[in-house]
C-alpha cells in the first residue's frame, strides 16, 4: 500500500516516523534554464545538452537534459520532502530508460521500501516519469536523523 505524504511540518521526517509504503511526489520541468545552470554547476558542456545542431545528428535527434539533472530531481524530493531535511544520501543505484527533453515535465516518485532502525538508514525506490513513461528508476540508501535523546542534565 502506498501512502502519499506531504512535507513534514518540521521540514523532515525522523527515522521513527518512517514506514514502508510512505511515498512522495514532486513535479519538475526540465527547462532550458535548468539545463544551462546544471551545465555550469557540473562543468558538463556536452553538446548533446546544449547545441541543437550537434544534438540533431545524434541518436536522440535533438537536445536532451543531463541524466544527472533528472536524477537530481529525485534528490530534491529526498532532501526536502521524504525523508526531508537532515537526510543524507549514502548511495544511489540508477538506470536511465528514456531521455528527458527540454520542457519535459518530470514526475518524481520516492517511496520507502525498508527502514533499518539499527543503522538509521532507509532504502528508497526512486522513479521518474514523463507523460506516464518510466524514464529512470533505482534504489537509494539514505541516512535519516533519529529522535533526539533527552538531555542528561
Amino acid at each position: 500500500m502506498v501512502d502519499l505524504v506531504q512535507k513534514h511540518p518540521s521540514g523532515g521526517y525522523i527515522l521513527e516516523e518512517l514506514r514502508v509504503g510512505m511515498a512522495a511526489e514532486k513535479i519538475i520541468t526540465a527547462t532550458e534554464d535548468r539545463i544551462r545552470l546544471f551545465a555550469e554547476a557540473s562543468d558538463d558542456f556536452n553538446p548533446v545538452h546544449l547545441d541543437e545542431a550537434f544534438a540533431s545528428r545524434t541518436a536522440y535527434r535533438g537536445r536532451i537534459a543531463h541524466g544527472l539533472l533528472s536524477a537530481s530531481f529525485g534528490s530534491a524530493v529526498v532532501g526536502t520532502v521524504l525523508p526531508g531535511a537532515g537526510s543524507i544520501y549514502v548511495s544511489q543505484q540508477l538506470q536511465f530508460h528514456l531521455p528527458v527533453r527540454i520542457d519535459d515535465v518530470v514526475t518524481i516518485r520516492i517511496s520507502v521500501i525498508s527502514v533499518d532502525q539499527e543503522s538509521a538508514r532507509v532504502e528508497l525506490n526512486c522513479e521518474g516519469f514523463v507523460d506516464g513513461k518510466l524514464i529512470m528508476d533505482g534504489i537509494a540508501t539514505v541516512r535519516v536523523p533519529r529522535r533526539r535523546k533527552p538531555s542528561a542534565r
Side-chain angles (χ1 to χ4, degrees):
M1 180 173 120
V2 173
D3 176 20
L4 206 56
V5 300
Q6 302 300 313
K7 185 175 182 175
H8 193 279
S10 72
Y13 291 88
I14 59 172
L15 184 68
E16 293 80 2
E17 296 171 319
L18 296 172
R19 64 189 177 289
V20 172
M22 292 175 80
E25 290 185 350
K26 188 174 184 93
I27 297 171
I28 303 172
T29 302
T31 64
E32 174 77 37
D33 282 345
R34 286 182 194 273
I35 293 167
R36 183 182 48 74
L37 290 169
F38 189 84
E40 290 287 335
S42 65
D43 208 32
D44 179 354
F45 296 98
N46 183 335
V48 76
H49 308 304
L50 304 167
D51 181 337
E52 186 60 41
F54 176 90
S56 68
R57 296 187 309 269
T58 69
Y60 300 107
R61 304 281 185 244
R63 291 175 53 206
I64 60 172
H66 301 74
L68 290 181
L69 171 61
S70 301
S72 75
F73 298 163
S75 177
V77 177
V78 170
T80 65
V81 183
L82 184 69
S87 59
I88 302 294
Y89 259 94
V90 175
S91 66
Q92 174 77 58
Q93 168 267 326
L94 196 59
Q95 294 91 37
F96 298 98
H97 304 289
L98 295 170
V100 172
R101 299 187 181 279
I102 297 166
D103 293 328
D104 275 354
V105 176
V106 181
T107 300
I108 297 296
R109 183 180 308 132
I110 303 294
S111 54
V112 178
I113 56 175
S114 73
V115 179
D116 185 335
Q117 295 291 332
E118 190 172 314
S119 68
R121 293 180 182 195
V122 295
E123 280 190 318
L124 305 170
N125 189 49
C126 306
E127 299 172 305
F129 301 89
V130 171
D131 294 329
K133 295 177 187 148
L134 184 68
I135 55 122
M136 67 181 173
D137 67 340
I139 305 295
T141 301
V142 176
R143 189 168 192 312
V144 181
R146 298 177 189 268
R147 186 176 317 282
R148 290 190 179 177
K149 294 179 182 174
S151 173
R153 293 183 210 175

